[in-house]
Amino acid sequence: MRRLLAVLLVLLSLSTLWGSPKIALVLSGGGARGLAHVSVLEALEEKGIPIDLVLGTSMGSLVGGLYSAGYTPKEIRSLLEETDLIGLFAEPVLDTKREQDDVFAYTHNQAFSLGFGETGIGSSPAFIGDQRILELLGYLFAKHPSPVDFDALPIPFRCVSADAMTKERIVHASGSLVGAIRSSISIPIVFTPYPYEDGRLVVDGGVVDNLPIELARSLGADIVIACDVNEMQVLNYSALESLSAMTMQTIILVTQDTAQKQHSQADLVFFPKLEDVFALDFNKYEHILAQGHQAVEEKADELEQLAHRIAEQRELKVLDPDRLGSYSLLPSPVILQLTVKDISLKAADMLVDASMFSRFLGRRLNKQTATELNLRMREIRKAHALATVSYEMAEDGVLLIQTRGFGKKSANISMGFQMDAGFSSTLPSSSSAWYRSDVFLDASLAQLGDTDFTFLIQASLGQRTGVEFGLSHPFAMNALGRWNVHLALSYASGSMSTRNALVDAQRSAPLDRAFRTTIGLDLYMGEYTHVKLDGWYDLIALHDSRYPQQFLAFPQLELSLLSSTLDSRFASYGYRLDMLARIGYLDTAMYAYRLAWEQKFALTYADTLGYDLQVSHLRERYELLSSYADMGFPFGVPGYSPLSLRRDLAMVGSSWTHRLAEVLGYPAFCKVNLRFALFDEYDPYQGVSASSDTLLFPNQWDLGLGLTLALDTPLGEVLVGLGTSLQGNVTFIIGVY
């Protein structure tokens, strides 16, 4: 009797399953077009159609993954409105910069960098960086710690990617939700291929299956509803005369063949008319959502019929569109441990360690913490020239930090620039305005001729136009650090003396000439400290007959030390120490010594306090600009113009920096600084010798207050500043550094 009852119960349960069709939702890839999937989700919920399985490719995997994780359509729509979608795709693949700052000078950022090597041309395999995308994914899925079984999500989920070498279709069913979705959105050339298991790289699933309807059927789906955002292709040839349009059209041609063959296997397919939207048109999200809604309206009758068909076999349940999703009801995870993992294909020295993120221990990974964490990762990424520094939550409260780089090419060429313009009451002429600009070109070739030599070329165009050729070779490695020896020859022309300084409207023609030979020794002590000993011989011709001596030939020896954890002028915390001592001989002994210290403290993620000290004492030929310390704003005393030169200078300052917001994905700052200076009265622009060599005699003092607004971009730090001082000096400046 009991056996008979058990059999009856099994049969009853099976009949219940047979009477409840499994419904799958399949969402295609298509870049920005994929945002139309949100409108489809809203329509299905409005009809009360239950979803038992979500499958997606590329952008379909992102929208579908959010829905499967427990976000409601309204919450996904809110994410679109709150997220700077343009900023997500305005990130360079590599945040490159020069290897090392020079003592008493921050180097310029590289606006352009291209590597060469045995594997081909290019420092990276894509055009657009994924740092901001990974930051967003890490936060959006933090409440489902990795690894996770995708069947255990509120709605079971699958997404598709492809092996970059074999084109094998990869179906993600478990593991890292962040990694699976990031893999699926790896549009070739646009985004970098993503590391996967066993050292493989994967690309966008659209390459092999942009609309996985057959996959849904193979997983037991009885009813399949799909949305294909790529069906409406560009019909006008003239619309293809741009890089973004042609990129999108190429993607459509590659992906639509497999998608169209599967349309007939779905019970209902929506086709939003998005032929005027290209892969990266995320600024058109309102139009895209509207077209998604229109596509649903056009198939309203078919949707109604499908709903009736489902209702005959299982209950329809209309969900409240304003409800809190199941993901929102989960508690934010607490960060209990930190782990750092390098996911680069080529193992590199571990430059990032868990201690760099120790301040996040014990905190909940809420929106505030995620914002601060993102800022910290960007600082580290820039400091180490990495492709990405990202995170995801793992089990047991572990925050997994993942770093990725592409390795250095044996040859590299890069370009950057600096410029500033403005007006000031302290310019050395009757003019109150100035303009300066410089363009820099750097090139390097490592392992020259299968040796350990590195060949370097540095060129500049602007105030000084010139070129330097150099060779560097490893010398030794010991407990102190890495030693290199270097040789260089350089030639330059332009503004090298005070009589043709570009801030002087009455300057003579900038036709000075200089030739220098250099031999030196470098010591790299860890990651942050560089000691350099240089000996050089200068031959300089000054293009102004008013100088008593127009040809200068002299040797000099310089010892310098730079130790810095500040990767930019707007870093939130860290220190920088600059030291320099130089001696030379030209008719008589010459010497110079300088010392500077700067330190910053992060009060909050948005506010930073800092202080700085500087002492300079120089006794060299007055004709040369390099023989003086510059006390000009925006990095010196507010109220003074750039190239406000002094032989003796003592400064002390404090600053407060506030992070305002992000503009096109880049941080904007407001900085207020107060700086006091004591300096000698000698003015090198007068063209006469100083009356005394006594330190700071005769002297002057001033106290300046400055306000600077800045935007930190890959092109450099773009800033606008206004400074004034107690002595009545005023300077306004616009610059890119």
Side-chain angles (χ1 to χ4, degrees), residues 59-81:
M59 185 55 68
S61 74
L62 176 55
V63 176
L66 289 170
Y67 191 62
S68 294
Y71 287 86
T72 69
K74 184 175 181 179
E75 288 171 339
I76 298 174
R77 185 182 282 262
S78 296
L79 283 173
L80 299 179
E81 295 172 352

Side-chain angles (χ1 to χ4, degrees), residues 391-545:
Y391 72 91
E392 61 181 271
M393 284 303 302
E395 296 176 317
D396 301 322
V398 175
L399 181 70
L400 175 60
I401 305 293
Q402 299 185 118
T403 64
R404 186 184 183 191
F406 297 121
K408 294 182 180 179
K409 301 294 185 180
S410 58
N412 186 81
I413 184 170
S414 59
M415 185 176 69
F417 69 97
Q418 293 180 348
M419 63 78 60
D420 56 46
F423 61 83
S424 175
S425 60
T426 64
L427 293 178
S429 68
S430 58
S431 173
S432 61
W434 85 90
Y435 171 76
R436 303 184 300 169
S437 65
D438 295 278
V439 177
F440 306 92
L441 182 69
D442 297 343
S444 64
L445 177 61
Q447 297 177 336
L448 185 65
D450 293 327
T451 69
D452 289 332
F453 278 101
T454 298
F455 178 60
L456 303 167
I457 300 177
Q458 295 183 341
S460 62
L461 177 64
Q463 300 175 83
R464 288 171 59 116
T465 298
V467 62
E468 177 176 290
F469 301 94
L471 282 176
S472 177
H473 190 279
F475 181 74
M477 178 76 76
N478 55 31
L480 286 177
R482 174 169 56 90
W483 298 78
N484 283 4
V485 63
H486 63 264
L487 304 168
L489 295 174
S490 64
Y491 171 80
S493 65
S495 300
M496 299 177 207
S497 59
T498 57
R499 290 197 182 276
N500 57 33
L502 293 184
V503 296
D504 188 351
Q506 298 176 352
R507 66 185 182 275
S508 59
L511 297 176
D512 295 336
R513 302 284 189 272
F515 180 81
R516 170 176 289 183
T517 59
T518 304
I519 183 170
L521 193 64
D522 296 283
L523 171 60
Y524 296 94
M525 304 172 64
E527 183 184 350
Y528 303 114
T529 303
H530 180 200
V531 180
K532 181 160 62 169
L533 177 64
D534 273 336
W536 64 73
Y537 197 88
D538 282 343
L539 302 174
I540 301 176
L542 303 178
H543 186 74
D544 195 308
S545 59

Side-chain angles (χ1 to χ4, degrees), residues 166-238:
T166 66
K167 203 180 176 182
E168 172 194 349
R169 185 179 73 171
I170 299 172
V171 179
H172 300 266
S174 63
S176 167
L177 197 54
V178 171
I181 293 174
R182 171 58 185 86
S183 297
S184 188
I185 64 174
S186 302
I187 302 174
I189 301 177
V190 178
F191 295 115
T192 58
Y194 199 68
Y196 188 57
E197 301 170 354
D198 304 323
R200 291 194 290 174
L201 287 177
V202 295
V203 295
D204 194 299
V207 173
V208 291
D209 196 351
N210 201 47
L211 191 68
I213 295 173
E214 290 181 353
L215 177 60
R217 293 291 188 189
S218 70
L219 293 173
D222 302 298
I223 295 176
V224 176
I225 302 170
C227 181
D228 189 347
V229 298
N230 288 333
E231 179 64 15
M232 297 299 174
Q233 299 185 27
V234 175
L235 300 177
N236 187 346
Y237 286 109
S238 63

Side-chain angles (χ1 to χ4, degrees), residues 16-50:
T16 302
L17 291 174
W18 290 333
S20 300
K22 185 175 181 180
I23 303 171
L25 175 64
V26 180
L27 305 176
S28 77
R33 295 179 172 195
L35 301 179
H37 297 318
V38 179
S39 298
V40 173
L41 291 173
E42 291 171 336
L44 297 180
E45 286 202 348
E46 185 179 337
K47 289 294 182 182
I49 297 176

Side-chain angles (χ1 to χ4, degrees), residues 3 28 78 115 131 164 211 225 243 266 287 350 370 389 424 426 458 484 515 533-534 546 553 627 645 659 710 725 727:
R3 291 183 179 179
S28 77
S78 296
Q131 175 69 26
L211 191 68
I225 302 170
L243 178 60
H287 168 69
M350 183 60 73
V389 181
S424 175
T426 64
Q458 295 183 341
N484 283 4
F515 180 81
L533 177 64
D534 273 336
R546 291 173 292 179
S627 300
L645 304 177
R659 182 182 291 263
S725 74
Q727 301 294 341

Side-chain angles (χ1 to χ4, degrees), residues 79-358:
L79 283 173
L80 299 179
E81 295 172 352
E82 296 169 1
T83 304
D84 179 8
L85 296 173
I86 300 299
L88 287 179
F89 303 95
E91 190 79 11
V93 180
L94 290 171
D95 202 344
T96 55
K97 65 171 192 173
R98 277 188 168 180
E99 287 288 329
Q100 188 82 31
D101 283 353
D102 292 324
V103 67
F104 286 96
Y106 281 91
T107 61
H108 58 274
N109 284 354
Q110 295 177 346
F112 167 82
S113 181
L114 182 65
F116 304 82
E118 295 180 357
T119 57
I121 299 174
S123 302
S124 64
F127 289 131
I128 298 176
D130 56 353
Q131 175 69 26
R132 303 296 174 93
I133 296 171
L134 285 168
E135 291 172 3
L136 182 64
L137 294 177
Y139 172 65
L140 292 180
F141 297 106
K143 297 178 183 180
H144 292 299
S146 174
V148 62
D149 182 350
F150 293 0
D151 284 335
L153 296 172
I155 301 176
F157 174 66
R158 299 289 187 274
C159 65
V160 177
S161 64
D163 188 293
M165 184 175 293
T166 66
K167 203 180 176 182
E168 172 194 349
R169 185 179 73 171
I170 299 172
V171 179
H172 300 266
S174 63
S176 167
L177 197 54
V178 171
I181 293 174
R182 171 58 185 86
S183 297
S184 188
I185 64 174
S186 302
I187 302 174
I189 301 177
V190 178
F191 295 115
T192 58
Y194 199 68
Y196 188 57
E197 301 170 354
D198 304 323
R200 291 194 290 174
L201 287 177
V202 295
V203 295
D204 194 299
V207 173
V208 291
D209 196 351
N210 201 47
L211 191 68
I213 295 173
E214 290 181 353
L215 177 60
R217 293 291 188 189
S218 70
L219 293 173
D222 302 298
I223 295 176
V224 176
I225 302 170
C227 181
D228 189 347
V229 298
N230 288 333
E231 179 64 15
M232 297 299 174
Q233 299 185 27
V234 175
L235 300 177
N236 187 346
Y237 286 109
S238 63
L240 297 177
E241 294 183 341
S242 71
L243 178 60
S244 60
M246 196 60 224
T247 300
M248 186 63 203
Q249 182 66 5
T250 302
I251 293 171
I252 291 173
L253 293 175
V254 171
T255 62
Q256 278 308 95
D257 183 49
T258 57
Q260 289 172 349
K261 291 178 180 178
Q262 298 183 65
H263 287 165
S264 61
Q265 299 182 49
D267 294 87
L268 177 61
V269 185
F270 297 104
F271 299 110
K273 296 178 180 178
L274 296 168
E275 62 271 17
D276 58 339
V277 177
F278 299 112
L280 301 179
D281 285 344
F282 287 91
N283 58 320
K284 297 180 179 179
Y285 74 92
E286 291 183 352
H287 168 69
I288 297 169
L289 291 172
Q291 289 301 109
H293 178 73
Q294 181 63 33
V296 172
E297 288 295 312
E298 290 176 358
K299 294 207 171 184
D301 291 341
E302 294 181 46
L303 179 59
E304 187 69 30
Q305 293 171 12
L306 182 60
H308 283 302
R309 175 180 154 197
I310 295 171
E312 292 174 355
Q313 303 176 70
R314 62 187 293 186
E315 180 185 2
L316 300 183
K317 185 177 180 181
V318 178
L319 300 175
D320 180 5
D322 297 321
R323 72 189 187 280
L324 282 178
S326 60
Y327 187 88
S328 299
L329 298 175
L330 294 173
S332 297
V334 178
I335 301 171
L336 301 177
Q337 300 178 61
L338 297 166
T339 300
V340 178
K341 180 181 180 182
D342 183 11
I343 61 172
S344 308
L345 287 189
K346 294 182 179 179
D349 295 334
M350 183 60 73
L351 301 176
V352 181
D353 60 67
S355 64
M356 297 178 177
F357 300 90
S358 58

